Coordinates of all heavy atoms in Angstrom, one line a residue:
M17 N 111.3 97.0 161.5 CA 110.4 95.8 161.7 C 110.8 95.2 163.0 O 112.0 95.0 163.3 CB 110.5 94.9 160.5 CG 109.7 93.6 160.7 SD 109.8 92.6 159.2 CE 108.0 92.2 159.1
L18 N 109.8 94.8 163.8 CA 110.1 94.1 165.1 C 110.3 92.6 164.9 O 109.6 92.0 164.0 CB 108.8 94.4 166.0 CG 108.7 95.8 166.5 CD1 107.7 95.9 167.5 CD2 110.0 96.4 167.1
K19 N 111.1 92.1 165.7 CA 111.3 90.7 165.8 C 111.3 90.2 167.2 O 111.6 90.8 168.3 CB 112.9 90.3 165.3 CG 113.3 89.0 165.5 CD 114.8 88.8 165.1 CE 115.1 87.4 165.3 NZ 116.6 87.2 165.0
Q20 N 110.5 89.0 167.3 CA 110.3 88.5 168.7 C 111.2 87.1 168.8 O 111.3 86.4 167.9 CB 108.8 87.9 168.8 CG 107.9 89.0 168.8 CD 106.4 88.4 169.0 OE1 106.2 87.2 169.3 NE2 105.4 89.3 168.8
T21 N 111.8 87.1 170.0 CA 112.7 85.9 170.2 C 112.4 85.4 171.6 O 112.4 86.3 172.6 CB 114.2 86.4 170.1 OG1 114.5 87.0 168.9 CG2 115.1 85.1 170.3
R22 N 112.1 84.1 171.7 CA 111.8 83.6 173.0 C 113.2 83.3 173.5 O 114.1 82.8 173.0 CB 111.1 82.2 172.9 CG 110.8 81.6 174.2 CD 109.8 80.7 174.3 NE 108.4 81.3 174.1 CZ 107.8 81.9 175.2 NH1 108.4 82.1 176.3 NH2 106.5 82.3 175.0
H23 N 113.3 83.8 174.9 CA 114.6 83.6 175.6 C 114.2 83.0 177.0 O 113.8 83.8 177.9 CB 115.4 85.0 175.7 CG 116.7 84.8 176.4 ND1 117.8 84.4 175.6 CD2 117.1 85.1 177.5 CE1 118.8 84.4 176.4 NE2 118.5 84.7 177.6
G24 N 114.3 81.7 177.2 CA 113.8 81.1 178.4 C 112.3 81.3 178.5 O 111.5 81.1 177.7
D25 N 111.9 82.0 179.8 CA 110.5 82.2 180.0 C 110.1 83.6 179.5 O 108.9 83.9 179.7 CB 110.2 82.0 181.5 CG 111.0 83.0 182.3 OD1 112.1 83.4 181.9 OD2 110.6 83.2 183.4
L26 N 111.0 84.3 178.8 CA 110.7 85.7 178.4 C 110.5 85.7 176.8 O 111.1 84.8 176.1 CB 111.8 86.6 178.8 CG 112.2 86.6 180.2 CD1 113.5 87.5 180.5 CD2 111.0 87.1 181.1
V27 N 109.8 86.7 176.3 CA 109.9 87.1 174.8 C 110.5 88.4 174.9 O 110.1 89.4 175.4 CB 108.4 87.1 174.3 CG1 108.5 87.6 172.9 CG2 107.8 85.7 174.4
I28 N 111.6 88.5 174.0 CA 112.3 89.7 173.9 C 112.0 90.3 172.4 O 112.2 89.6 171.4 CB 113.8 89.6 174.1 CG1 114.0 89.0 175.5 CG2 114.6 90.8 173.8 CD1 115.4 88.8 175.9
H29 N 111.5 91.5 172.4 CA 111.2 92.2 171.1 C 112.4 93.2 170.7 O 112.7 94.0 171.6 CB 109.9 93.1 171.3 CG 108.7 92.2 171.6 ND1 107.8 91.8 170.8 CD2 108.2 91.8 172.8 CE1 106.8 91.0 171.3 NE2 107.2 91.1 172.6
T30 N 112.8 93.1 169.6 CA 113.9 93.9 169.1 C 113.5 94.5 167.8 O 112.6 94.0 167.1 CB 115.2 93.2 168.9 OG1 115.0 92.1 168.1 CG2 115.8 92.6 170.3
S31 N 114.2 95.5 167.4 CA 113.9 96.2 166.1 C 115.1 96.0 165.3 O 116.2 96.0 165.7 CB 113.7 97.7 166.3 OG 113.6 98.4 165.2
D32 N 114.9 96.0 163.9 CA 116.0 96.0 162.9 C 116.5 97.4 162.7 O 117.5 97.5 161.9 CB 115.6 95.3 161.7 CG 114.4 96.0 160.9 OD1 113.9 97.0 161.4 OD2 114.1 95.4 159.9
D33 N 116.0 98.4 163.3 CA 116.5 99.8 163.1 C 117.9 99.9 163.9 O 117.8 99.7 165.0 CB 115.4 100.8 163.6 CG 115.9 102.1 163.7 OD1 117.1 102.5 163.2 OD2 115.1 103.1 163.9
P34 N 118.9 100.2 163.1 CA 120.2 100.3 163.8 C 120.2 101.3 164.9 O 120.9 101.2 166.0 CB 121.1 100.8 162.7 CG 120.4 100.4 161.4 CD 119.0 100.5 161.7
G35 N 119.3 102.3 164.9 CA 119.3 103.3 166.0 C 118.6 102.7 167.3 O 118.8 103.3 168.4
Q36 N 118.1 101.6 167.2 CA 117.4 100.9 168.4 C 118.3 99.7 168.9 O 117.9 98.9 169.6 CB 116.0 100.4 168.0 CG 115.2 101.4 167.6 CD 114.7 102.4 168.7 OE1 114.8 102.0 169.9 NE2 114.3 103.5 168.3
R37 N 119.6 99.5 168.4 CA 120.3 98.4 168.7 C 120.7 98.2 170.2 O 121.1 97.1 170.5 CB 121.7 98.5 167.9 CG 122.3 97.2 167.8 CD 123.4 97.1 166.7 NE 122.8 96.3 165.7 CZ 123.4 96.0 164.6 NH1 124.7 96.3 164.5 NH2 122.8 95.4 163.7
T38 N 120.6 99.3 171.0 CA 120.9 99.1 172.4 C 119.6 99.0 173.2 O 119.6 99.0 174.5 CB 121.8 100.3 172.9 OG1 120.9 101.5 172.7 CG2 123.1 100.4 172.1
R39 N 118.5 98.8 172.6 CA 117.1 98.8 173.3 C 116.4 97.5 172.9 O 116.4 97.1 171.8 CB 116.3 100.0 172.9 CG 116.9 101.3 173.3 CD 116.3 102.5 172.6 NE 114.9 102.5 172.8 CZ 114.2 103.4 173.3 NH1 114.9 104.5 173.7 NH2 112.9 103.4 173.4
A40 N 115.6 97.0 173.9 CA 114.7 95.9 173.7 C 113.5 95.9 174.6 O 113.6 96.6 175.7 CB 115.4 94.6 173.8
V41 N 112.5 95.3 174.2 CA 111.3 95.3 175.2 C 111.1 93.9 175.5 O 111.0 92.8 174.7 CB 110.0 95.8 174.4 CG1 108.8 95.5 175.3 CG2 110.1 97.3 174.1
V42 N 111.1 93.6 176.8 CA 110.9 92.3 177.4 C 109.4 92.1 177.7 O 108.8 92.9 178.4 CB 111.7 92.1 178.7 CG1 111.5 90.7 179.3 CG2 113.2 92.3 178.4
E43 N 108.8 91.0 177.2 CA 107.4 90.6 177.5 C 107.5 89.5 178.5 O 108.1 88.5 178.3 CB 106.8 90.3 176.3 CG 105.3 89.8 176.5 CD 104.6 89.4 175.1 OE1 105.2 89.6 173.9 OE2 103.5 88.8 175.2
D44 N 106.8 89.7 179.7 CA 106.7 88.7 180.7 C 105.3 88.8 181.3 O 105.0 89.8 181.9 CB 107.8 89.1 181.7 CG 107.9 88.0 182.8 OD1 107.3 86.9 182.8 OD2 108.6 88.4 183.9
G45 N 104.6 87.7 181.0 CA 103.2 87.6 181.5 C 102.4 88.7 181.2 O 101.6 89.2 181.9
G46 N 102.4 89.2 179.9 CA 101.6 90.2 179.4 C 102.0 91.6 179.8 O 101.4 92.6 179.3
R47 N 103.2 91.7 180.4 CA 103.6 93.1 180.7 C 104.8 93.4 179.8 O 105.6 92.4 179.5 CB 104.1 93.1 182.3 CG 103.0 92.9 183.1 CD 103.6 93.0 184.6 NE 104.7 92.0 184.6 CZ 104.9 91.2 185.6 NH1 104.2 91.2 186.6 NH2 105.9 90.4 185.6
Y48 N 105.0 94.6 179.5 CA 106.1 95.0 178.6 C 107.0 96.0 179.4 O 106.6 96.8 180.1 CB 105.7 95.8 177.4 CG 104.7 94.8 176.5 CD1 103.4 95.1 176.5 CD2 105.2 93.8 175.7 CE1 102.5 94.3 175.6 CE2 104.4 93.0 175.1 CZ 103.0 93.3 175.0 OH 102.1 92.5 174.2
T49 N 108.4 95.7 179.2 CA 109.3 96.6 179.9 C 110.5 96.9 178.9 O 111.0 96.0 178.3 CB 110.0 95.8 181.1 OG1 108.9 95.4 182.1 CG2 111.0 96.6 181.8
L50 N 110.7 98.2 178.7 CA 111.8 98.7 177.9 C 113.1 98.4 178.7 O 113.3 99.1 179.8 CB 111.6 100.1 177.5 CG 112.7 100.7 176.6 CD1 112.9 100.0 175.4 CD2 112.4 102.2 176.5
V51 N 114.1 97.9 178.1 CA 115.4 97.7 178.7 C 116.4 98.3 177.7 O 116.4 98.1 176.6 CB 115.8 96.2 178.9 CG1 117.2 96.1 179.4 CG2 114.8 95.6 179.9
E52 N 117.2 99.2 178.3 CA 118.2 99.9 177.5 C 119.6 99.5 178.0 O 119.9 99.6 179.3 CB 118.0 101.4 177.6 CG 116.8 101.8 176.9 CD 116.7 103.4 176.8 OE1 117.6 103.9 176.1 OE2 115.8 103.9 177.4
T53 N 120.5 98.9 177.2 CA 121.9 98.7 177.6 C 122.7 99.9 177.2 O 122.3 100.7 176.5 CB 122.4 97.4 176.7 OG1 122.4 97.7 175.4 CG2 121.5 96.3 177.0
L54 N 123.8 100.0 177.8 CA 124.7 101.1 177.5 C 125.2 101.2 176.1 O 125.4 102.3 175.5 CB 125.9 101.1 178.5 CG 125.4 101.3 179.9 CD1 126.6 101.3 180.8 CD2 124.7 102.7 180.1
E55 N 125.4 100.0 175.5 CA 126.0 99.9 174.2 C 125.7 98.5 173.6 O 125.2 97.6 174.3 CB 127.5 100.1 174.2 CG 128.3 99.1 175.0 CD 129.7 99.4 175.1 OE1 130.1 100.6 175.3 OE2 130.5 98.5 175.0
A56 N 125.6 98.4 172.4 CA 125.3 97.1 171.7 C 126.4 96.1 172.2 O 127.6 96.5 172.4 CB 125.4 97.2 170.1
T57 N 126.1 94.9 172.3 CA 127.0 93.9 172.8 C 127.7 93.3 171.6 O 127.1 92.9 170.5 CB 126.2 92.8 173.4 OG1 125.5 93.3 174.5 CG2 127.2 91.7 174.0
Y58 N 129.0 93.3 171.5 CA 129.9 92.8 170.6 C 130.6 91.6 170.9 O 130.9 91.5 172.1 CB 130.8 93.9 170.0 CG 130.1 95.1 169.5 CD1 129.8 96.2 170.1 CD2 129.8 95.1 168.1 CE1 129.0 97.2 169.6 CE2 129.1 96.2 167.5 CZ 128.8 97.3 168.3 OH 128.0 98.3 167.8
T59 N 131.0 90.8 170.0 CA 131.8 89.7 170.4 C 133.3 90.1 170.7 O 133.7 91.0 170.1 CB 131.9 88.6 169.3 OG1 132.4 89.2 168.2 CG2 130.5 88.1 169.0
E60 N 133.9 89.5 171.7 CA 135.2 89.9 172.0 C 136.2 89.4 171.0 O 137.2 90.2 170.6 CB 135.7 89.3 173.4 CG 134.8 90.0 174.4 CD 135.3 89.5 175.8 OE1 136.4 89.0 176.0 OE2 134.5 89.6 176.7
N61 N 136.0 88.2 170.3 CA 137.0 87.8 169.4 C 136.8 88.3 168.1 O 137.5 88.0 167.1 CB 137.1 86.3 169.5 CG 135.8 85.6 169.1 OD1 134.7 86.3 169.0 ND2 135.7 84.3 169.0
E62 N 135.6 88.9 167.7 CA 135.5 89.3 166.4 C 135.3 90.9 166.3 O 134.8 91.5 165.4 CB 134.0 88.7 166.0 CG 134.0 87.3 165.8 CD 132.7 86.7 165.3 OE1 131.9 87.5 164.7 OE2 132.4 85.6 165.6
G63 N 135.9 91.5 167.3 CA 135.9 93.0 167.3 C 134.5 93.7 167.2 O 133.9 93.5 168.1
A64 N 134.2 94.3 166.2 CA 133.1 95.2 166.1 C 131.9 94.3 165.5 O 130.9 94.8 165.1 CB 133.3 96.3 165.3
A65 N 131.9 93.0 165.5 CA 130.8 92.2 165.0 C 129.7 92.1 166.0 O 130.0 91.6 167.2 CB 131.3 90.8 164.6
Y66 N 128.5 92.5 165.7 CA 127.4 92.5 166.7 C 127.1 91.1 167.0 O 126.9 90.2 166.1 CB 126.3 93.2 166.0 CG 125.0 93.2 166.8 CD1 125.0 93.9 168.0 CD2 123.8 92.7 166.3 CE1 123.8 94.0 168.7 CE2 122.7 92.7 167.1 CZ 122.7 93.3 168.3 OH 121.5 93.4 169.1
N67 N 126.7 90.8 168.2 CA 126.4 89.5 168.6 C 125.0 89.5 169.3 O 124.8 89.9 170.5 CB 127.5 89.0 169.7 CG 127.2 87.6 170.2 OD1 126.1 87.0 170.1 ND2 128.2 86.9 170.6
P68 N 124.0 89.2 168.5 CA 122.7 89.3 168.9 C 122.4 88.2 170.1 O 121.6 88.6 171.0 CB 121.8 88.9 167.8 CG 122.7 88.4 166.6 CD 124.0 88.7 167.0
G69 N 122.9 87.1 170.2 CA 122.7 86.2 171.3 C 123.1 86.8 172.5 O 122.5 86.7 173.6
Q70 N 124.3 87.4 172.5 CA 124.9 88.0 173.8 C 124.1 89.2 174.1 O 123.9 89.4 175.3 CB 126.3 88.3 173.6 CG 126.9 88.9 174.8 CD 127.0 87.9 176.0 OE1 127.3 86.7 175.8 NE2 126.6 88.3 177.1
F71 N 123.5 90.0 173.3 CA 122.6 91.0 173.4 C 121.5 90.6 174.2 O 121.0 91.2 175.2 CB 122.4 91.8 172.2 CG 121.4 93.0 172.4 CD1 121.8 94.1 173.1 CD2 120.0 92.9 171.9 CE1 120.9 95.2 173.2 CE2 119.2 93.9 172.2 CZ 119.6 95.0 172.8
L72 N 120.8 89.6 173.7 CA 119.6 89.0 174.4 C 119.9 88.5 175.8 O 119.1 88.7 176.7 CB 119.0 87.8 173.6 CG 118.5 88.2 172.2 CD1 118.1 87.0 171.5 CD2 117.4 89.3 172.2
E73 N 121.0 88.0 175.9 CA 121.5 87.5 177.3 C 121.5 88.7 178.2 O 121.1 88.8 179.4 CB 122.8 86.8 177.2 CG 122.9 86.0 178.6 CD 122.0 85.0 178.9 OE1 121.5 84.2 178.1 OE2 121.7 84.9 180.2
T74 N 122.2 89.8 177.7 CA 122.4 91.1 178.5 C 121.0 91.7 178.8 O 120.7 92.1 180.0 CB 123.2 92.1 177.7 OG1 124.5 91.4 177.6 CG2 123.5 93.3 178.5
V75 N 120.1 91.7 177.9 CA 118.8 92.4 178.1 C 118.0 91.5 179.2 O 117.5 92.1 180.1 CB 118.0 92.4 176.8 CG1 116.5 92.6 177.0 CG2 118.5 93.2 175.8
A76 N 118.1 90.2 179.1 CA 117.4 89.3 180.1 C 118.0 89.6 181.5 O 117.3 89.6 182.4 CB 117.5 87.9 179.7
D77 N 119.3 89.7 181.5 CA 120.0 89.9 182.9 C 119.6 91.3 183.4 O 119.3 91.4 184.5 CB 121.5 89.9 182.7 CG 122.1 88.5 182.5 OD1 121.4 87.5 182.7 OD2 123.3 88.4 182.1
Y78 N 119.6 92.3 182.5 CA 119.2 93.7 183.0 C 117.7 93.6 183.5 O 117.4 94.2 184.6 CB 119.3 94.6 181.9 CG 120.8 95.1 181.7 CD1 121.8 94.5 182.1 CD2 120.9 96.5 181.1 CE1 123.2 95.1 181.7 CE2 122.1 96.9 180.9 CZ 123.2 96.2 181.3 OH 124.5 96.9 181.1
Y79 N 116.9 93.0 182.7 CA 115.5 92.8 183.1 C 115.3 92.2 184.5 O 114.6 92.7 185.4 CB 114.7 92.1 182.2 CG 113.3 91.8 182.5 CD1 112.3 92.7 182.5 CD2 112.9 90.5 182.9 CE1 111.0 92.5 182.9 CE2 111.6 90.3 183.3 CZ 110.6 91.3 183.4 OH 109.3 91.0 183.8
R80 N 116.1 91.1 184.7 CA 116.0 90.4 186.0 C 116.5 91.2 187.2 O 116.1 90.9 188.3 CB 116.6 88.9 185.8 CG 115.8 88.1 185.0 CD 116.3 86.6 184.9 NE 115.4 85.8 184.0 CZ 115.7 85.3 182.9 NH1 116.9 85.7 182.4 NH2 114.8 84.6 182.2
Q81 N 117.4 92.0 186.9 CA 117.9 92.9 187.9 C 117.1 94.1 188.2 O 117.4 95.0 189.0 CB 119.3 93.5 187.5 CG 120.4 92.4 187.2 CD 121.7 92.8 186.7 OE1 121.9 94.1 186.5 NE2 122.5 92.0 186.2
G82 N 115.9 94.3 187.4 CA 115.0 95.3 187.7 C 115.4 96.6 186.9 O 114.7 97.6 187.2
R83 N 116.2 96.5 186.0 CA 116.5 97.7 185.2 C 115.5 97.7 184.0 O 115.3 96.7 183.3 CB 117.9 97.6 184.5 CG 118.9 97.5 185.5 CD 120.3 97.4 184.8 NE 121.5 97.1 185.6 CZ 122.7 97.1 185.2 NH1 123.0 97.3 184.0 NH2 123.7 96.7 186.1
G84 N 114.9 98.9 183.8 CA 113.9 99.0 182.8 C 112.8 99.7 183.2 O 112.6 100.1 184.3
Q85 N 111.9 100.2 182.2 CA 110.7 101.0 182.6 C 109.4 100.3 181.9 O 109.7 99.9 180.7 CB 110.9 102.3 182.2 CG 111.2 102.6 180.7 CD 111.6 104.0 180.5 OE1 111.7 104.8 181.3 NE2 111.7 104.4 179.2
P86 N 108.3 100.3 182.5 CA 107.1 99.7 181.9 C 106.7 100.5 180.7 O 106.8 101.8 180.6 CB 106.1 99.8 183.0 CG 106.8 100.1 184.2 CD 108.1 100.8 183.9
V87 N 106.2 99.9 179.6 CA 105.8 100.5 178.5 C 104.5 99.7 178.0 O 104.3 98.7 178.4 CB 106.8 100.5 177.2 CG1 108.1 101.3 177.6 CG2 107.1 99.0 177.0
G88 N 103.7 100.6 177.1 CA 102.4 100.0 176.8 C 102.4 98.9 175.7 O 101.7 98.1 175.5
S89 N 103.5 99.1 174.8 CA 103.6 98.1 173.7 C 105.1 98.1 173.1 O 105.8 99.2 173.3 CB 102.7 98.4 172.6 OG 103.1 99.6 171.8
P90 N 105.5 97.0 172.6 CA 106.9 97.0 172.1 C 107.0 97.9 170.9 O 108.0 98.6 170.9 CB 107.0 95.5 171.5 CG 106.0 94.8 172.3 CD 104.8 95.7 172.6
G91 N 106.1 98.0 170.0 CA 106.3 98.9 168.9 C 106.4 100.4 169.1 O 107.2 101.1 168.7
A92 N 105.5 100.8 170.2 CA 105.7 102.2 170.6 C 107.0 102.5 171.2 O 107.6 103.6 171.0 CB 104.5 102.5 171.5
A93 N 107.4 101.6 172.1 CA 108.7 101.8 172.8 C 110.0 101.8 171.8 O 110.9 102.5 172.0 CB 108.9 100.7 173.8
L94 N 109.9 101.1 170.7 CA 110.9 100.9 169.8 C 110.8 101.7 168.5 O 111.5 101.5 167.6 CB 111.2 99.5 169.5 CG 111.6 98.5 170.6 CD1 111.6 97.1 170.3 CD2 112.9 99.0 171.2
G95 N 109.8 102.7 168.6 CA 109.6 103.6 167.5 C 109.0 103.0 166.3 O 109.2 103.5 165.2
E96 N 108.2 102.1 166.5 CA 107.5 101.4 165.2 C 106.0 101.5 165.4 O 105.3 100.7 164.9 CB 107.9 99.9 165.2 CG 109.5 99.7 165.2 CD 109.9 99.0 164.0 OE1 109.2 98.5 163.3 OE2 111.1 98.9 164.0
G97 N 105.4 102.5 166.1 CA 104.0 102.7 166.1 C 103.5 101.7 167.1 O 104.2 101.1 167.9
G98 N 102.2 101.6 167.0 CA 101.6 100.5 167.9 C 101.5 100.9 169.4 O 101.5 100.4 170.2

């Protein structure tokens, strides 16, 4: 299932599928961009505890750096149809 999170002026779409934990789709002005990070973002003080807030920050940073590829829809890019 997809989740939408507003992050500043962007909407970031993520999937609850663990296989998609390093990918997100950024929506900006009606355009969709798939951003892939090298690995899921974990907190430094909690070891292997996944930190969704830090992940969203990383995705937004990557997007603003021009990393990513245009996609037709969040669902299709994250393996959820659509």
Side-chain angles (χ1 to χ4, degrees):
M17 178 174 225
L18 292 181
K19 177 181 176 186
Q20 293 182 12
T21 305
R22 181 157 289 284
H23 188 79
D25 58 338
L26 306 172
V27 176
I28 300 177
H29 300 263
T30 54
S31 173
D32 60 1
D33 175 356
Q36 300 291 340
R37 193 163 261 189
T38 61
R39 302 163 50 119
V41 174
V42 176
E43 181 179 348
D44 184 11
R47 294 177 312 221
Y48 300 106
T49 303
L50 175 65
V51 174
E52 296 189 63
T53 63
L54 298 176
E55 58 189 42
T57 305
Y58 296 91
T59 59
E60 292 183 23
N61 61 352
E62 295 179 24
Y66 177 66
N67 183 334
Q70 185 60 46
F71 176 71
L72 294 175
E73 191 65 39
T74 299
V75 167
D77 287 348
Y78 278 26
Y79 172 76
R80 290 186 177 109
Q81 292 169 15
R83 301 183 191 185
Q85 58 188 5
V87 294
S89 72
L94 296 173
E96 306 236 357

